[in-house]
PDB file of all heavy atoms in Angstrom:
ATOM      1  N   MET A   1      -3.720  39.219  77.556  1.00  0.00           N
ATOM      2  CA  MET A   1      -4.455  38.039  77.979  1.00  0.00           C
ATOM      3  C   MET A   1      -4.376  36.955  76.902  1.00  0.00           C
ATOM      4  O   MET A   1      -4.196  35.780  77.211  1.00  0.00           O
ATOM      5  CB  MET A   1      -5.854  38.371  78.338  1.00  0.00           C
ATOM      6  CG  MET A   1      -6.031  39.241  79.575  1.00  0.00           C
ATOM      7  SD  MET A   1      -5.376  38.411  81.040  1.00  0.00           S
ATOM      8  CE  MET A   1      -6.626  37.190  81.274  1.00  0.00           C
ATOM      9  N   HIS A   2      -4.589  37.342  75.649  1.00  0.00           N
ATOM     10  CA  HIS A   2      -4.518  36.372  74.557  1.00  0.00           C
ATOM     11  C   HIS A   2      -3.157  35.708  74.481  1.00  0.00           C
ATOM     12  O   HIS A   2      -3.057  34.460  74.361  1.00  0.00           O
ATOM     13  CB  HIS A   2      -4.865  37.051  73.237  1.00  0.00           C
ATOM     14  CG  HIS A   2      -4.676  36.163  72.019  1.00  0.00           C
ATOM     15  ND1 HIS A   2      -5.577  35.169  71.723  1.00  0.00           N
ATOM     16  CD2 HIS A   2      -3.726  36.126  71.076  1.00  0.00           C
ATOM     17  CE1 HIS A   2      -5.130  34.536  70.634  1.00  0.00           C
ATOM     18  NE2 HIS A   2      -4.047  35.109  70.221  1.00  0.00           N
ATOM     19  N   ILE A   3      -2.082  36.496  74.564  1.00  0.00           N
ATOM     20  CA  ILE A   3      -0.746  35.934  74.531  1.00  0.00           C
ATOM     21  C   ILE A   3      -0.466  35.028  75.738  1.00  0.00           C
ATOM     22  O   ILE A   3       0.125  33.940  75.570  1.00  0.00           O
ATOM     23  CB  ILE A   3       0.313  37.056  74.427  1.00  0.00           C
ATOM     24  CG1 ILE A   3       0.129  37.807  73.064  1.00  0.00           C
ATOM     25  CG2 ILE A   3       1.734  36.499  74.501  1.00  0.00           C
ATOM     26  CD1 ILE A   3       0.920  39.103  72.954  1.00  0.00           C
ATOM     27  N   VAL A   4      -0.854  35.443  76.932  1.00  0.00           N
ATOM     28  CA  VAL A   4      -0.658  34.624  78.103  1.00  0.00           C
ATOM     29  C   VAL A   4      -1.376  33.315  77.955  1.00  0.00           C
ATOM     30  O   VAL A   4      -0.841  32.254  78.278  1.00  0.00           O
ATOM     31  CB  VAL A   4      -1.105  35.347  79.394  1.00  0.00           C
ATOM     32  CG1 VAL A   4      -1.219  34.407  80.564  1.00  0.00           C
ATOM     33  CG2 VAL A   4      -0.117  36.485  79.712  1.00  0.00           C
ATOM     34  N   GLN A   5      -2.629  33.342  77.484  1.00  0.00           N
ATOM     35  CA  GLN A   5      -3.400  32.104  77.276  1.00  0.00           C
ATOM     36  C   GLN A   5      -2.684  31.165  76.266  1.00  0.00           C
ATOM     37  O   GLN A   5      -2.613  29.962  76.486  1.00  0.00           O
ATOM     38  CB  GLN A   5      -4.803  32.401  76.827  1.00  0.00           C
ATOM     39  CG  GLN A   5      -5.670  32.974  77.933  1.00  0.00           C
ATOM     40  CD  GLN A   5      -7.012  33.463  77.425  1.00  0.00           C
ATOM     41  OE1 GLN A   5      -7.133  33.835  76.238  1.00  0.00           O
ATOM     42  NE2 GLN A   5      -7.971  33.422  78.306  1.00  0.00           N
ATOM     43  N   LYS A   6      -2.173  31.757  75.222  1.00  0.00           N
ATOM     44  CA  LYS A   6      -1.430  30.950  74.224  1.00  0.00           C
ATOM     45  C   LYS A   6      -0.202  30.286  74.829  1.00  0.00           C
ATOM     46  O   LYS A   6       0.041  29.090  74.584  1.00  0.00           O
ATOM     47  CB  LYS A   6      -1.054  31.880  73.049  1.00  0.00           C
ATOM     48  CG  LYS A   6      -0.443  31.170  71.834  1.00  0.00           C
ATOM     49  CD  LYS A   6      -0.352  32.121  70.667  1.00  0.00           C
ATOM     50  CE  LYS A   6       1.091  32.523  70.548  1.00  0.00           C
ATOM     51  NZ  LYS A   6       1.392  33.431  69.435  1.00  0.00           N
ATOM     52  N   ILE A   7       0.536  31.030  75.628  1.00  0.00           N
ATOM     53  CA  ILE A   7       1.766  30.498  76.241  1.00  0.00           C
ATOM     54  C   ILE A   7       1.409  29.380  77.256  1.00  0.00           C
ATOM     55  O   ILE A   7       2.057  28.384  77.298  1.00  0.00           O
ATOM     56  CB  ILE A   7       2.628  31.588  76.904  1.00  0.00           C
ATOM     57  CG1 ILE A   7       3.201  32.491  75.785  1.00  0.00           C
ATOM     58  CG2 ILE A   7       3.707  31.040  77.793  1.00  0.00           C
ATOM     59  CD1 ILE A   7       3.914  33.736  76.277  1.00  0.00           C
ATOM     60  N   ILE A   8       0.345  29.610  78.046  1.00  0.00           N
ATOM     61  CA  ILE A   8      -0.075  28.559  79.009  1.00  0.00           C
ATOM     62  C   ILE A   8      -0.478  27.317  78.240  1.00  0.00           C
ATOM     63  O   ILE A   8      -0.120  26.182  78.636  1.00  0.00           O
ATOM     64  CB  ILE A   8      -1.240  29.115  79.891  1.00  0.00           C
ATOM     65  CG1 ILE A   8      -0.690  30.182  80.878  1.00  0.00           C
ATOM     66  CG2 ILE A   8      -1.910  27.966  80.623  1.00  0.00           C
ATOM     67  CD1 ILE A   8      -1.805  30.876  81.658  1.00  0.00           C
ATOM     68  N   SER A   9      -1.241  27.450  77.153  1.00  0.00           N
ATOM     69  CA  SER A   9      -1.644  26.310  76.363  1.00  0.00           C
ATOM     70  C   SER A   9      -0.420  25.557  75.843  1.00  0.00           C
ATOM     71  O   SER A   9      -0.341  24.321  75.921  1.00  0.00           O
ATOM     72  CB  SER A   9      -2.537  26.713  75.194  1.00  0.00           C
ATOM     73  OG  SER A   9      -3.732  27.243  75.664  1.00  0.00           O
ATOM     74  N   LYS A  10       0.527  26.303  75.305  1.00  0.00           N
ATOM     75  CA  LYS A  10       1.713  25.672  74.740  1.00  0.00           C
ATOM     76  C   LYS A  10       2.532  24.937  75.848  1.00  0.00           C
ATOM     77  O   LYS A  10       2.977  23.825  75.612  1.00  0.00           O
ATOM     78  CB  LYS A  10       2.594  26.755  74.093  1.00  0.00           C
ATOM     79  CG  LYS A  10       3.659  26.165  73.199  1.00  0.00           C
ATOM     80  CD  LYS A  10       4.290  27.239  72.361  1.00  0.00           C
ATOM     81  CE  LYS A  10       5.318  26.637  71.391  1.00  0.00           C
ATOM     82  NZ  LYS A  10       5.901  27.674  70.512  1.00  0.00           N
ATOM     83  N   GLU A  11       2.611  25.547  77.032  1.00  0.00           N
ATOM     84  CA  GLU A  11       3.316  24.860  78.152  1.00  0.00           C
ATOM     85  C   GLU A  11       2.581  23.584  78.517  1.00  0.00           C
ATOM     86  O   GLU A  11       3.218  22.582  78.823  1.00  0.00           O
ATOM     87  CB  GLU A  11       3.445  25.802  79.346  1.00  0.00           C
ATOM     88  CG  GLU A  11       4.384  26.993  79.145  1.00  0.00           C
ATOM     89  CD  GLU A  11       5.797  26.547  78.848  1.00  0.00           C
ATOM     90  OE1 GLU A  11       6.295  25.612  79.493  1.00  0.00           O
ATOM     91  OE2 GLU A  11       6.436  27.188  77.991  1.00  0.00           O
ATOM     92  N   THR A  12       1.279  23.615  78.549  1.00  0.00           N
ATOM     93  CA  THR A  12       0.490  22.422  78.851  1.00  0.00           C
ATOM     94  C   THR A  12       0.688  21.378  77.794  1.00  0.00           C
ATOM     95  O   THR A  12       0.917  20.213  78.140  1.00  0.00           O
ATOM     96  CB  THR A  12      -0.994  22.803  78.946  1.00  0.00           C
ATOM     97  OG1 THR A  12      -1.154  23.793  79.980  1.00  0.00           O
ATOM     98  CG2 THR A  12      -1.854  21.582  79.250  1.00  0.00           C
ATOM     99  N   TYR A  13       0.688  21.756  76.542  1.00  0.00           N
ATOM    100  CA  TYR A  13       0.912  20.793  75.451  1.00  0.00           C
ATOM    101  C   TYR A  13       2.329  20.198  75.554  1.00  0.00           C
ATOM    102  O   TYR A  13       2.498  19.008  75.310  1.00  0.00           O
ATOM    103  CB  TYR A  13       0.761  21.471  74.082  1.00  0.00           C
ATOM    104  CG  TYR A  13      -0.666  21.865  73.739  1.00  0.00           C
ATOM    105  CD1 TYR A  13      -0.878  22.995  72.937  1.00  0.00           C
ATOM    106  CD2 TYR A  13      -1.712  21.123  74.136  1.00  0.00           C
ATOM    107  CE1 TYR A  13      -2.171  23.389  72.627  1.00  0.00           C
ATOM    108  CE2 TYR A  13      -3.051  21.502  73.820  1.00  0.00           C
ATOM    109  CZ  TYR A  13      -3.233  22.617  73.038  1.00  0.00           C
ATOM    110  OH  TYR A  13      -4.500  22.973  72.659  1.00  0.00           O
ATOM    111  N   ARG A  14       3.328  20.961  75.964  1.00  0.00           N
ATOM    112  CA  ARG A  14       4.654  20.476  76.085  1.00  0.00           C
ATOM    113  C   ARG A  14       4.741  19.393  77.189  1.00  0.00           C
ATOM    114  O   ARG A  14       5.477  18.395  77.068  1.00  0.00           O
ATOM    115  CB  ARG A  14       5.646  21.571  76.392  1.00  0.00           C
ATOM    116  CG  ARG A  14       6.012  22.423  75.231  1.00  0.00           C
ATOM    117  CD  ARG A  14       7.124  23.417  75.577  1.00  0.00           C
ATOM    118  NE  ARG A  14       7.372  24.359  74.531  1.00  0.00           N
ATOM    119  CZ  ARG A  14       8.100  24.070  73.465  1.00  0.00           C
ATOM    120  NH1 ARG A  14       8.654  22.917  73.304  1.00  0.00           N
ATOM    121  NH2 ARG A  14       8.278  24.995  72.509  1.00  0.00           N
ATOM    122  N   ARG A  15       3.988  19.577  78.275  1.00  0.00           N
ATOM    123  CA  ARG A  15       3.974  18.625  79.320  1.00  0.00           C
ATOM    124  C   ARG A  15       3.215  17.364  78.980  1.00  0.00           C
ATOM    125  O   ARG A  15       3.550  16.283  79.416  1.00  0.00           O
ATOM    126  CB  ARG A  15       3.362  19.232  80.618  1.00  0.00           C
ATOM    127  CG  ARG A  15       4.283  20.150  81.379  1.00  0.00           C
ATOM    128  CD  ARG A  15       3.705  20.530  82.729  1.00  0.00           C
ATOM    129  NE  ARG A  15       2.318  21.007  82.687  1.00  0.00           N
ATOM    130  CZ  ARG A  15       1.997  22.272  82.472  1.00  0.00           C
ATOM    131  NH1 ARG A  15       2.912  23.176  82.296  1.00  0.00           N
ATOM    132  NH2 ARG A  15       0.757  22.648  82.472  1.00  0.00           N
ATOM    133  N   GLU A  16       2.141  17.515  78.185  1.00  0.00           N
ATOM    134  CA  GLU A  16       1.235  16.396  77.976  1.00  0.00           C
ATOM    135  C   GLU A  16       1.536  15.617  76.682  1.00  0.00           C
ATOM    136  O   GLU A  16       0.945  14.558  76.504  1.00  0.00           O
ATOM    137  CB  GLU A  16      -0.225  16.903  77.936  1.00  0.00           C
ATOM    138  CG  GLU A  16      -0.683  17.429  79.273  1.00  0.00           C
ATOM    139  CD  GLU A  16      -2.036  18.045  79.259  1.00  0.00           C
ATOM    140  OE1 GLU A  16      -2.658  18.126  78.187  1.00  0.00           O
ATOM    141  OE2 GLU A  16      -2.562  18.398  80.358  1.00  0.00           O
ATOM    142  N   ASN A  17       2.311  16.197  75.801  1.00  0.00           N
ATOM    143  CA  ASN A  17       2.564  15.528  74.513  1.00  0.00           C
ATOM    144  C   ASN A  17       4.103  15.437  74.342  1.00  0.00           C
ATOM    145  O   ASN A  17       4.849  16.174  74.905  1.00  0.00           O
ATOM    146  CB  ASN A  17       1.955  16.355  73.369  1.00  0.00           C
ATOM    147  CG  ASN A  17       0.436  16.453  73.535  1.00  0.00           C
ATOM    148  OD1 ASN A  17      -0.256  15.489  73.369  1.00  0.00           O
ATOM    149  ND2 ASN A  17      -0.021  17.615  73.948  1.00  0.00           N
ATOM    150  N   GLU A  18       4.469  14.512  73.468  1.00  0.00           N
ATOM    151  CA  GLU A  18       5.884  14.225  73.321  1.00  0.00           C
ATOM    152  C   GLU A  18       6.304  14.438  71.869  1.00  0.00           C
ATOM    153  O   GLU A  18       5.630  14.010  70.917  1.00  0.00           O
ATOM    154  CB  GLU A  18       6.157  12.800  73.733  1.00  0.00           C
ATOM    155  CG  GLU A  18       7.586  12.397  73.640  1.00  0.00           C
ATOM    156  CD  GLU A  18       7.782  10.931  74.046  1.00  0.00           C
ATOM    157  OE1 GLU A  18       6.787  10.224  74.238  1.00  0.00           O
ATOM    158  OE2 GLU A  18       8.958  10.534  74.163  1.00  0.00           O
ATOM    159  N   VAL A  19       7.479  15.086  71.695  1.00  0.00           N
ATOM    160  CA  VAL A  19       8.072  15.223  70.386  1.00  0.00           C
ATOM    161  C   VAL A  19       9.571  14.942  70.514  1.00  0.00           C
ATOM    162  O   VAL A  19      10.233  15.517  71.355  1.00  0.00           O
ATOM    163  CB  VAL A  19       7.920  16.604  69.789  1.00  0.00           C
ATOM    164  CG1 VAL A  19       8.550  16.724  68.435  1.00  0.00           C
ATOM    165  CG2 VAL A  19       6.437  17.051  69.679  1.00  0.00           C
ATOM    166  N   VAL A  20       9.991  13.929  69.732  1.00  0.00           N
ATOM    167  CA  VAL A  20      11.417  13.573  69.755  1.00  0.00           C
ATOM    168  C   VAL A  20      11.971  13.701  68.323  1.00  0.00           C
ATOM    169  O   VAL A  20      11.400  13.160  67.390  1.00  0.00           O
ATOM    170  CB  VAL A  20      11.615  12.160  70.280  1.00  0.00           C
ATOM    171  CG1 VAL A  20      13.083  11.729  70.248  1.00  0.00           C
ATOM    172  CG2 VAL A  20      11.052  12.025  71.701  1.00  0.00           C
ATOM    173  N   ILE A  21      13.097  14.397  68.254  1.00  0.00           N
ATOM    174  CA  ILE A  21      13.785  14.482  66.922  1.00  0.00           C
ATOM    175  C   ILE A  21      14.933  13.500  66.919  1.00  0.00           C
ATOM    176  O   ILE A  21      15.771  13.515  67.812  1.00  0.00           O
ATOM    177  CB  ILE A  21      14.291  15.943  66.706  1.00  0.00           C
ATOM    178  CG1 ILE A  21      13.111  16.924  66.663  1.00  0.00           C
ATOM    179  CG2 ILE A  21      15.122  15.988  65.381  1.00  0.00           C
ATOM    180  CD1 ILE A  21      13.532  18.404  66.593  1.00  0.00           C
ATOM    181  N   VAL A  22      14.872  12.611  65.897  1.00  0.00           N
ATOM    182  CA  VAL A  22      15.906  11.575  65.766  1.00  0.00           C
ATOM    183  C   VAL A  22      16.754  11.881  64.515  1.00  0.00           C
ATOM    184  O   VAL A  22      16.221  12.061  63.451  1.00  0.00           O
ATOM    185  CB  VAL A  22      15.263  10.196  65.628  1.00  0.00           C
ATOM    186  CG1 VAL A  22      16.295   9.090  65.451  1.00  0.00           C
ATOM    187  CG2 VAL A  22      14.368   9.899  66.811  1.00  0.00           C
ATOM    188  N   LYS A  23      18.101  11.903  64.710  1.00  0.00           N
ATOM    189  CA  LYS A  23      18.995  12.155  63.607  1.00  0.00           C
ATOM    190  C   LYS A  23      19.237  10.850  62.882  1.00  0.00           C
ATOM    191  O   LYS A  23      19.573   9.815  63.529  1.00  0.00           O
ATOM    192  CB  LYS A  23      20.269  12.785  64.123  1.00  0.00           C
ATOM    193  CG  LYS A  23      21.216  13.138  63.002  1.00  0.00           C
ATOM    194  CD  LYS A  23      22.431  13.910  63.513  1.00  0.00           C
ATOM    195  CE  LYS A  23      23.394  14.023  62.390  1.00  0.00           C
ATOM    196  NZ  LYS A  23      23.849  15.195  61.914  1.00  0.00           N
ATOM    197  N   ASN A  24      19.119  10.848  61.561  1.00  0.00           N
ATOM    198  CA  ASN A  24      19.406   9.666  60.726  1.00  0.00           C
ATOM    199  C   ASN A  24      20.424  10.075  59.704  1.00  0.00           C
ATOM    200  O   ASN A  24      20.109  10.556  58.643  1.00  0.00           O
ATOM    201  CB  ASN A  24      18.148   9.246  59.961  1.00  0.00           C
ATOM    202  CG  ASN A  24      16.954   9.079  60.884  1.00  0.00           C
ATOM    203  OD1 ASN A  24      17.031   8.371  61.882  1.00  0.00           O
ATOM    204  ND2 ASN A  24      15.850   9.702  60.570  1.00  0.00           N
ATOM    205  N   ASN A  25      21.694   9.890  60.015  1.00  0.00           N
ATOM    206  CA  ASN A  25      22.805  10.343  59.141  1.00  0.00           C
ATOM    207  C   ASN A  25      22.634  11.836  58.848  1.00  0.00           C
ATOM    208  O   ASN A  25      22.902  12.630  59.729  1.00  0.00           O
ATOM    209  CB  ASN A  25      22.878   9.525  57.844  1.00  0.00           C
ATOM    210  CG  ASN A  25      23.165   8.044  58.135  1.00  0.00           C
ATOM    211  OD1 ASN A  25      23.921   7.722  59.050  1.00  0.00           O
ATOM    212  ND2 ASN A  25      22.540   7.171  57.377  1.00  0.00           N
TER     213      ASN A  25
END
């Protein structure tokens, strides 16, 4: 249950927050 809750939270965070990696040289 703990692991499932952690994965659900992470999936929610992925949908609601944005992270973009930009290459600079």
Side-chain angles (χ1 to χ4, degrees):
M1 292 298 289
H2 174 73
I3 294 168
V4 167
Q5 287 172 333
K6 187 171 104 177
I7 290 171
I8 289 172
S9 295
K10 195 169 184 178
E11 292 298 319
T12 301
Y13 291 147
R14 284 186 186 280
R15 281 191 308 275
E16 294 176 353
N17 300 287
E18 180 181 9
V19 179
V20 176
I21 298 174
V22 178
K23 184 174 171 121
N24 309 308
N25 298 323

